[in-house]
């Protein structure tokens, strides 16, 4: 039987070594000093170890029951999620489209992987995106916007300070996205029918380039690595990316 406490394990080991020494001396000297006291302590230890074994078995049973109940709760959550998605989509369709007369600014972080630009939900092949479902799956979750009804659309943060960690050695870009068409507002962001990258700040560990020019943005989206190599300059030693992002992406507002 293993003890749950390291102190108890170590103490039991010390007592066992002392007991061996005691038994050796007792036999050698043919004495019975302390035998009754030792036997009473041994009986007390046996009773309590039996109780511990019973408790361990009960703990294992309760842990199995807890795991089963957690699995059932998870299934209920999945059912509630699917139901809420359908209900929200149904109510939104009854409520009518929320058309914005002017594009709404949103912000996203783009990663360059294998020569393509993606935002974690969609691959951008042009500066204008009219997506179907995020990640190609109708039930794809999106950690940035708390809404059960996110089935399709361009997802963007409401403010620059919501952007995730911007440091790193790989080629990345923070972008302002003009959201248009049907735009649904959520707690921290938007889901829009159409998104267009209107400004970009691309960077790696040592270099960056910033642009609001449509031709350069189009070039970066279609050929990010080559465009970055041709346009990037060293990042100034005193530059702070978060400050520069706020000044460049949001400064003209």
């Amino acid at each position: 039987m293993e003890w749950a406490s390291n102190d108890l394990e170590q103490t039991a080991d010390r007592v066992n070594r002392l007991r061996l020494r005691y038994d050796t001396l007792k036999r050698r000297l043919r004495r019975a000093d302390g035998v009754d006291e030792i036997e009473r302590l041994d009986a007390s230890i046996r009773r309590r170890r039996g109780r511990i074994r019973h408790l361990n078995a009960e703990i294992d049973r309760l842990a199995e029951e807890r795991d089963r109940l957690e699995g059932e709760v998870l299934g209920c959550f999945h059912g509630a999620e699917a139901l809420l998605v359908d209900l929200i989509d149904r109510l939104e369709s009854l409520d009518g489209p929320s058309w914005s007369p002017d594009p709404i600014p949103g912000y996203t972080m783009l990663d360059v992987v294998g020569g393509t630009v993606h935002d974690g939900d969609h691959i951008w092949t042009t500066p204008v995106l009219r997506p179907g479902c995020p990640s190609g799956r109708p039930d794809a979750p999106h950690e940035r916007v708390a809404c059960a009804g996110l089935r399709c659309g361009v997802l963007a943060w409401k403010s620059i300070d919501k952007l995730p960690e911007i440091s790193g050695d790989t080629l990345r870009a923070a972008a302002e996205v003009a959201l248009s068409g049907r735009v649904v507002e959520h707690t921290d962001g938007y889901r829009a029918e159409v998104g267009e990258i209107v400004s970009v700040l691309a960077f790696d560990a040592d270099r960056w380039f910033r642009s609001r020019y449509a031709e350069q943005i189009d070039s970066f989206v279609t050929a990010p690595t080559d465009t970055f190599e041709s346009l990037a300059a060293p990042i100034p030693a005193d530059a702070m990316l978060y400050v520069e992002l706020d000044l460049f992406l949001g400064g003209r507002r």
Side-chain angles (χ1 to χ4, degrees):
M1 174 181 172
E2 294 183 358
W3 299 103
S5 166
N6 288 333
D7 290 341
L8 188 56
E9 183 74 34
Q10 294 169 3
T11 302
D13 186 59
R14 290 198 304 272
V15 169
N16 287 334
R17 290 197 299 269
L18 290 170
R19 186 187 299 276
L20 290 174
R21 180 62 177 162
Y22 166 76
D23 289 341
T24 299
L25 290 170
K26 186 179 64 172
R27 287 194 302 272
R28 182 183 303 164
L29 299 175
R30 298 181 180 179
R31 300 288 299 262
D33 305 48
V35 170
D36 292 340
E37 292 86 346
I38 292 293
E39 288 180 350
R40 284 197 296 271
L41 287 170
D42 284 345
S44 180
I45 291 171
R46 284 194 299 271
R47 286 196 303 272
R48 285 161 174 79
R49 293 187 73 169
R51 179 60 179 165
I52 290 174
R53 283 192 293 270
H54 173 76
L55 290 174
N56 284 338
E58 187 69 10
I59 289 170
D60 290 341
R61 184 188 67 78
L62 291 173
E64 290 178 0
E65 184 177 359
R66 179 204 60 202
D67 293 343
R68 177 181 59 79
L69 289 172
E70 285 187 352
E72 293 175 358
V73 169
L74 182 61
C76 291
F77 275 135
H78 287 159
E81 182 179 20
L83 176 60
L84 287 168
V85 166
D86 289 337
L87 289 173
I88 288 171
D89 284 349
R90 189 187 311 166
L91 293 175
E92 283 182 349
S93 64
L94 292 174
D95 190 41
S98 302
W99 299 102
S100 175
D102 299 309
I104 295 175
Y107 304 92
T108 191
M109 185 66 70
L110 305 170
D111 289 291
V112 177
V113 178
T116 61
V117 174
H118 67 85
D119 62 7
D121 298 293
H122 309 288
I123 294 175
W124 292 70
T125 56
T126 70
V128 178
L129 180 65
R130 294 178 175 86
C133 292
S135 305
R137 298 187 295 112
D139 61 339
H142 193 284
E143 63 183 0
R144 296 180 297 177
V145 183
C147 174
L150 285 178
R151 288 193 166 191
C152 59
V154 180
L155 303 170
W157 297 102
K158 286 182 178 179
S159 59
I160 296 171
D161 60 4
K162 297 295 184 181
L163 290 173
E165 175 61 46
I166 65 170
S167 62
D169 296 332
T170 59
L171 177 54
R172 309 181 73 193
E176 178 186 347
V177 182
L179 306 170
S180 59
R182 186 181 183 187
V183 180
V184 179
E185 181 177 7
H186 301 289
T187 303
D188 293 320
Y190 301 102
R191 171 168 57 107
E193 185 178 7
V194 182
E196 179 180 4
I197 298 174
V198 294
S199 60
V200 65
L201 191 156
F203 59 91
D204 61 13
D206 305 305
R207 298 169 299 165
W208 67 0
F209 89 87
R210 298 167 290 179
S211 182
R212 295 193 182 100
Y213 294 107
E215 290 183 1
Q216 291 182 345
I217 293 172
D218 181 77
S219 178
F220 177 74
V221 173
T222 55
T225 303
D226 292 342
T227 303
F228 186 79
E229 290 296 329
S230 64
L231 298 178
I235 299 176
D238 58 349
M240 299 178 64
L241 276 179
Y242 266 113
V243 174
E244 297 296 334
L245 285 175
D246 189 58
L247 291 173
F248 182 73
L249 297 185
R252 59 177 176 174
R253 307 206 172 278

